[in-house]
Amino acid sequence: MSDGVSALETLPHELRLAVRRAVAAVEEADQPVPVALYRGLAPDLRPYVEAMLAAAGRVLIELREGFISGYDDAVARELTREGIGALEPIDAAVLALVLLHGFVIPKAQGELPRTARAYQARRVSFETLVNSRIRSREQIRLSLQRLRDRGLLQPGDSAPIRPGPQFQRLTPQASNLIEENLILLADPDGALADAIRRRRAQARSQAIEGEKR
């Protein structure tokens, strides 16, 4: 619905309100919003919700439990290039370890479904992070708190160390990109890492060819 925002004005007032309420819900929720709770998430009104989100560089993400919003992949890449939302080095290292031990390794070992995404990762013990020797125990504790405050880990001092609600806001493409980058980091000489590099090189080559046409 390319002109969905304008088309929204053609809806009756009650339906326009339902769409706006649904947009607010998926933008503000910590967890996926069940379709049954918001009229605007029903199939007939969902395109209007998607159009309103798209106007702000956002997309509607469907999960098993319902819907939530996140950044469009192109917008996310631009924010990354500009360094917006970048983590401190230690926080990035701790988060990478949580994803590596809780998601990438279990998935590679068949302990998680092949279709699993980062927010479905297993819990990681504090000792696993300490044994990595990236920093002291106290520095890791402080890093965990900062990551929890940003929703990148499950909130709460006693919560299990697992990816937090923000990972539900990743598009499938963004989630796959994170997984691939962690594979490249953990096993750069492995067959899977080699396949990832070949595929990316082919994609870049095709993009360049497309620009020349």
Side-chain angles (χ1 to χ4, degrees), residues 11-192:
L11 292 175
H13 173 74
E14 181 180 347
L15 294 184
R16 291 202 306 272
L17 189 58
V19 169
R20 293 190 175 107
R21 284 174 174 166
V23 170
V26 297
E27 285 282 75
E28 297 173 2
D30 289 332
Q31 299 295 330
V33 179
V35 175
L37 294 183
Y38 286 88
R39 173 72 177 86
L41 292 177
D44 60 326
L45 292 182
R46 203 176 300 155
Y48 296 96
V49 172
E50 292 172 333
M52 286 193 68
L53 290 170
R58 308 278 285 176
V59 294
L60 190 64
I61 297 170
E62 183 174 7
L63 301 171
R64 183 178 58 187
E65 302 85 354
F67 289 89
I68 201 163
S69 61
Y71 279 112
D72 175 83
D73 288 322
V75 174
R77 285 192 295 270
E78 185 61 30
L79 292 174
T80 299
R81 280 193 291 268
E82 295 179 4
I84 297 175
L87 296 174
E88 295 182 27
I90 183 175
D91 294 349
V94 169
L95 183 58
L97 285 171
V98 171
L99 291 169
L100 182 64
H101 289 285
F103 178 57
V104 175
I105 293 176
K107 193 172 180 180
Q109 294 176 341
E111 297 174 8
L112 288 172
R114 293 185 61 184
T115 56
R117 291 170 59 180
Y119 70 91
Q120 297 168 310
R122 301 289 181 84
R123 64 184 298 167
V124 176
S125 71
F126 180 73
E127 292 306 318
T128 296
L129 303 178
V130 171
N131 290 339
S132 68
R133 299 180 181 178
I134 54 174
R135 291 291 175 90
S136 70
R137 298 176 74 93
E138 182 58 26
Q139 288 173 316
I140 292 176
R141 289 186 192 279
L142 292 173
S143 177
L144 290 174
Q145 186 57 59
R146 289 192 294 269
L147 291 169
R148 284 167 171 152
D149 289 345
R150 297 181 70 161
L152 294 170
L153 294 180
Q154 291 294 323
D157 293 340
S158 59
I161 301 174
R162 295 179 59 242
Q166 288 298 329
F167 279 89
Q168 296 181 100
R169 294 189 179 277
L170 294 175
T171 64
Q173 181 178 344
S175 185
N176 290 338
L177 180 62
I178 289 175
E179 183 178 355
E180 289 182 355
N181 287 343
L182 287 168
I183 291 171
L184 293 172
L185 175 66
D187 188 19
D189 299 321
L192 188 52

